[in-house]
Amino acid sequence: MSDIIQLIKDKDPEQKEFHQAVAEVLETVKPVLDRNPQYRKENILSRITEPERVIMFRVPWMDDTGQIQVNRGFRIEMSSAIGPYKGGLRFHPSVNLSILKFLAFEQVFKNALTTLPMGGGKGGSDFDPKGKSDHEVMRFCQSFMAELFRHIGENTDIPAGDIGVGAREIGYLFGMYKKLRNEFTGVLTGKSLAWGGSLIRPEATGYGCVYFAAEMLSVKNDTLQAKTCLVSGSGNVAQFTVEKILELGGTVKTLSDSAGYIYDEKGIDADKLAYVMHLKNIQRGRISEYAEKYPDAVYTPTDDALDYNPLWDHEADCAFPSATQNEINGTDAANLIKNNVTLVAEGANMPSTPEAVNIFLDNKIMYGPGKAANAGGVAVSGLEMSQNSMRLNWPGEEVDNRLKGIMRSIHKSCVYAAAEYDQPGNYVAGANIAGFVKVVNAMLDQGLV
Ligand code: NDP
């Protein structure tokens, strides 16, 4: 086991996030390997940690001043063991091979947990949509797709959105794909409703994360009613996490973006959430403006000199990290425990560092890791693919019910797998083991390919 991790580190020493994601999975699946010697014999770990394909390309585009800009584009096709590659595109200056390989690796197991036939992939660019005009974003998306189109397809690889890729970007990407291929197919998910999108897709990751939290609470005969919650981020996942928490009777006191966070002692109610959605999705403003509009709220700018995030240092019952990777470190995790938080459900991918995860597990709080708790987004993407294939649209209530059913089933799989391997209540082990076994068995069925 440690041999494989060392090998991966030696091969790509700078890919820290990828090492972190691989180590977390491999450490928890050790008992599975011990019980199934054929997995080691077939060298499954070396195979599953090497992407099937990595595509890297130049994305040249012209800005509004007539200057030519160049960004780097990527698509990691990690595993097609149980279906076509599926996973989002991230546009953010921090994007590099390490981050995308970690996300693609996580995606493989997450997709397996959804019960739908989807392999795992991830892609994106170091392009920053923030501060760009709509025309600049469009020209970038068109250039990005001018290369990506030859690698994807409705039966091959179906990208979706992620950080920095919302409805606007999906629209421009789809338009270019359609023009180049001369076909109208479900090659991207997260499309607008009028041209192939699914109801509940925008809501799915946030809603699904809260459904997963509700499932964890139900094991203890508890609910979200009257629970105080801390949410980070203020994008797609955070917004619909807040919406669902409010619907289930909880209170939300925080939101953030990369520049800082707001703490609203009175709670972010439905009207304030509508303001945030308009601010973020239409005006593309900053969360600091919330405190100007609602003076009771306190805005705290991000302070890089601090070794902890003050957002996580408030009294609460539940935490929903919904911004980005490694946003909760060991100090933050200790602060959450000190402040009486007993549930953490990850809307973001890998938001907790390994030290933070260990603190949650040692304190035996309800901790839902991203690959289980935030699988609702890709699950409804899978439902969007089904609707596109059948060329029909399901009503919102039907999609929402399916989403609830899928989150319940993911929760159950985690609980069963953890119990089967003598780690009851450990959702990290449960999620990794359940996803791993499914993918690995499919790989063995299909021979050495
Ligand atoms: P959005 O781009 O809509 O929102 C991201 C939010 O996180 C913004 O508020 C952004 O602030 C903040 N953020 C991003 N990077 C950082 C950073 N380095 N430090 C602090 N804040 C940051 O993305 P999503 O809501 O779609 O994604 C959020 C998380 O959820 C990601 O980890 C993503 O991988 C994960 N996820 C998303 C799914 C989806 O369906 N969209 C599905 C499953 C997981 P700012 O505007 O200042 O950058």
Side-chain angles (χ1 to χ4, degrees), residues 143-198:
S143 178
F144 184 84
M145 187 53 85
E147 173 59 33
L148 188 69
F149 85 100
R150 65 187 94 247
H151 307 289
I152 61 175
E154 60 174 339
N155 295 314
T156 317
D157 184 352
I158 307 97
D162 190 72
I163 292 178
V165 178
R168 172 182 63 172
E169 289 76 14
I170 292 288
Y172 295 148
L173 291 163
F174 184 81
M176 194 62 181
Y177 179 88
K178 184 171 60 110
K179 183 183 171 92
L180 292 167
R181 283 267 195 218
N182 192 26
E183 62 180 32
F184 197 116
T185 50
V187 68
L188 290 160
T189 57
K191 301 185 288 297
S192 286
L193 262 188
W195 43 273
S198 173

Side-chain angles (χ1 to χ4, degrees), residues 90 130 162-164 201 205 234-237 257-258 286 323 349:
R90 176 176 291 192
K130 236 182 283 160
D162 190 72
I163 292 178
R201 177 60 190 92
T205 308
S234 50
N236 172 269
V237 178
D257 58 26
S258 52
R286 309 305 293 155
N349 284 309

Side-chain angles (χ1 to χ4, degrees), residues 2 19 67 91 106 172 206 209 253 436 443:
S2 51
H19 305 158
Q67 292 289 316
F91 291 169
E106 291 272 301
Y172 295 148
C209 187
K253 297 212 166 163
F436 179 82
M443 288 169 76

Side-chain angles (χ1 to χ4, degrees), residues 53-74:
R53 195 173 297 106
V54 173
I55 300 148
M56 234 173 111
F57 50 99
R58 178 173 65 197
V59 189
W61 57 280
M62 194 173 282
D63 69 19
D64 285 347
T65 68
Q67 292 289 316
I68 292 172
Q69 306 284 346
V70 178
N71 286 94
R72 198 170 265 182
F74 304 88

Side-chain angles (χ1 to χ4, degrees), residues 1-12 19 22-23 26-27 30 33 40 43 45-47 49:
M1 185 82 55
S2 51
D3 296 357
I4 297 284
I5 297 175
Q6 194 52 50
L7 199 70
I8 290 168
K9 287 184 176 169
D10 290 346
K11 260 195 215 171
D12 299 298
H19 305 158
V22 168
L26 298 201
E27 275 154 23
K30 188 171 177 302
L33 299 171
R40 282 205 177 94
N43 203 4
L45 296 187
S46 298
R47 289 158 67 184
T49 51

